[in-house]
Structure formats: structure tokens, C-alpha cells
């Protein structure tokens, strides 16, 4: 529920200063108890997206929700919480530009879902969408995921490769479909990196950089499938740090340097990537 309301605020469906639906209306819409509604509203208030959250009257959208999760005072949030709302906001632009460095693109594919719903509902219609994604090459020995006991097992690599290809194909298909359904000029391009990225990075419309570490954990063996323990990272849960151009020297410099870093990888050591096999 919080994710859905957050995306509405970020996309402009709920405008700055606008009063939210009542808690009773929200409970009916989402099919939940009033306590769950209050919990979701308090979470959005803690993110500075809402004000005046109380039992007595509807909450109000914050005066500047666009800047609530960016800047030096912004708290980091899990990728699943922060990315969808930021990408929904990015899709309000006439020309949407998204660059990403990641391991499989699963978080990006999930996050794109909300702006696609907004487009199909007629609430958003960018004229052009350009997406560039850097993913690890199929031909390298991945740093992770890998078996704890060593690299002798190809099934880990094959499972990652199948995930990389499947998520990339879904992302590409869903975005390119906007050409036929809404006449939007869409370009989606993938290139392969010769290394496993230890971090994930999303660059939005040249003005935002969202950054997270891939933190490795040990995943225990699945006994019934006889699969060994792995060192792996749960990218959807990685804490995402947000930086916005114009929010201060630190943020502006980080955004600019992130673009330089991405473009350097794209134009030099990356190679053509085909999402099959």
C-alpha cells in the first residue's frame, strides 16, 4: 500500500499540497484494516512525502515530495521501496533517460511497472524514452553468485544467465510495446561488462543518481535439490542512496561523476550483449 501511494505522489497523480483520501477510503480501496492504513501513512510521513498524518483528518501531500528522498538529509531505503517511486517521477518528463549498471536488471524491471501502469491509464505520456543497461557478460567468471566450496559448478552461472536474459527481455518487451500502444519513441540498449559490478547505479534524466552496494551473504544449501551453499547478493533489498543535481555541491558532483563513469564504461570496455543463450 505504501509503495502504491508513494508512486502516485512521485508520478504527480497526487499533487503537492493535495489532501489524501480518508483512511476509510484507503482501507476500502486496498482491502485492509485501518491500522494498516495508518502504518503506511506514517511510513510516508517519515519519508517526508506526507504531512498532517493523524486519526482525525486526511493527510496532506508534502509541498516538495520530489526532493523528499534526495539530498544530504535523505535516509537510504531498500531498492524495492525507493526505486519505483523515483522512476515513476522520471517518467513525468517529456524525454525520459535511464542508465543502469546492475547484475540482472530485476529491480529495474519491477520498478518500470508503475510508470507503465500510469501511461496505460493516461496519466503519463512521455514523447521519448531512452534506456541503457550495463550487465555482466555471459563469458566471464562471476565474482558472485558462486558456490561457497568453489567454482566447479556451472549451474550457478547458468541460473544467473537465465535470470539476466529473462529480466532483460521482459524489460525490453514492456518498454518497446509503448511504441505500438501509445506512439512513444522508445530505445532500449544493453551492453556487456567484462566484470561483476560490486554496486548498482541508476541515473535518471541526467539529474539523479541512485546508488547501492551489493552486499554478499551466504545462502544455505537447498537439500532437496542437492544445490550447494552460495555466496550471493539480494539486490532488491540493497539500500539505495539518492543524489540529486542541485541539492548541494556533494550531490551535484556525485551525479556528474556517475554519468562520466557510466559513459566511460559504455564507450570503452563494454561489448555487444544479446539476451539469448
Amino acid at each position: 500500500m505504501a509503495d502504491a501511494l508513494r508512486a502516485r505522489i512521485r508520478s504527480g497523480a497526487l499533487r503537492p499540497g493535495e489532501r489524501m483520501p480518508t483512511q476509510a477510503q484507503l482501507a476500502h480501496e486496498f482491502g485492509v484494516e485501518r491500522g494498516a492504513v495508518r502504518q503506511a501513512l506514517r511510513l510516508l510521513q517519515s519519508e517526508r512525502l506526507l504531512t498532517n498524518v493523524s486519526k482525525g483528518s486526511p493527510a496532506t501531500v508534502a509541498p516538495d515530495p520530489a526532493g523528499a528522498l534526495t539530498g544530504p538529509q535523505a535516509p537510504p531505503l531498500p531498492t524495492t521501496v525507493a526505486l519505483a517511486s523515483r522512476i515513476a517521477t522520471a517518467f513525468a518528463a517529456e524525454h525520459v533517460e535511464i542508465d543502469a549498471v546492475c547484475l540482472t536488471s530485476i529491480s529495474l524491471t519491477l520498478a518500470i511497472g508503475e510508470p507503465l501502469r500510469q501511461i496505460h491509464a493516461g496519466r503519463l505520456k512521455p514523447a521519448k524514452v531512452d534506456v541503457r543497461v550495463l550487465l555482466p557478460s555471459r563469458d566471464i567468471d562471476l565474482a558472485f553468485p558462486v558456490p561457497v566450496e568453489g567454482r566447479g559448478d556451472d549451474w550457478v552461472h547458468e541460473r544467473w544467465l537465465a535470470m539476466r536474459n529473462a529480466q532483460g527481455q521482459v524489460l525490453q518487451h514492456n518498454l518497446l510495446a509503448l511504441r505500438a500502444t501509445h506512439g512513444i519513441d522508445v530505445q532500449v540498449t544493453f551492453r556487456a561488462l567484462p566484470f561483476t559490478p560490486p554496486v548498482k547505479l541508476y541515473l535518471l534524466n541526467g539529474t539523479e543518481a541512485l546508488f547501492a552496494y551489493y552486499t554478499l551473504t551466504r545462502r544455505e544449501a537447498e537439500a532437496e535439490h542437492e544445490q550447494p551453499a552460495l555466496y550471493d547478493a539480494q539486490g532488491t533489498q540493497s539500500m539505495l542512496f539518492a543524489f540529486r543535481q542541485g541539492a548541494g555541491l556533494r550531490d551535484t558532483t556525485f551525479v556528474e561523476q556517475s554519468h562520466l563513469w557510466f559513459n566511460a564504461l559504455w564507450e570503452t570496455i563494454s561489448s555487444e550483449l544479446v539476451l539469448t543463450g
Side-chain angles (χ1 to χ4, degrees), residues 38 53 65 79 88 98 134 157 228 257-258 262 269:
R38 286 192 290 272
V53 174
T79 299
I98 298 175
L134 286 168
H157 188 278
Q257 291 299 311
S258 295
F262 181 93
I269 61 173

Side-chain angles (χ1 to χ4, degrees), residues 165-227:
N165 290 344
Q167 292 298 325
Q169 288 168 356
V170 170
L171 177 67
Q172 188 173 53
H173 171 79
N174 290 345
L175 286 169
L176 292 179
L178 296 176
R179 291 179 181 172
T181 58
H182 293 83
I184 298 172
D185 181 7
V186 178
Q187 297 291 329
V188 184
T189 313
F190 297 86
R191 288 186 68 79
L193 291 170
F195 61 89
T196 310
V199 299
K200 55 166 54 179
L201 177 70
Y202 306 97
L203 303 171
L204 310 180
N205 292 348
T207 61
E208 278 193 89
L210 306 173
F211 174 91
Y213 295 102
Y214 282 116
T215 301
L216 296 186
T217 59
R218 176 175 173 139
R219 290 172 51 191
E220 292 306 319
E222 300 177 23
E224 63 182 82
H225 300 295
E226 298 183 352
Q227 294 177 352

Side-chain angles (χ1 to χ4, degrees), residues 26-105:
L26 291 172
H28 176 74
E29 177 184 353
F30 289 94
V32 298
E33 299 293 332
R34 294 278 191 98
V37 174
R38 286 192 290 272
Q39 186 177 4
L41 295 178
R42 283 195 294 268
L43 175 61
L44 298 179
Q45 184 179 42
S46 73
E47 297 171 9
R48 288 177 280 179
L49 292 172
L50 294 179
T51 61
N52 302 327
V53 174
S54 67
K55 290 185 179 181
S57 60
T60 304
V61 179
D64 182 25
L69 293 181
T70 57
Q73 305 304 316
L77 294 168
T79 299
T80 50
V81 174
L83 186 59
S85 59
R86 299 312 307 143
I87 286 183
T89 299
F91 265 78
E94 186 77 4
H95 182 191
V96 180
E97 296 178 276
I98 298 175
D99 294 334
V101 180
C102 42
L103 189 65
T104 64
S105 78

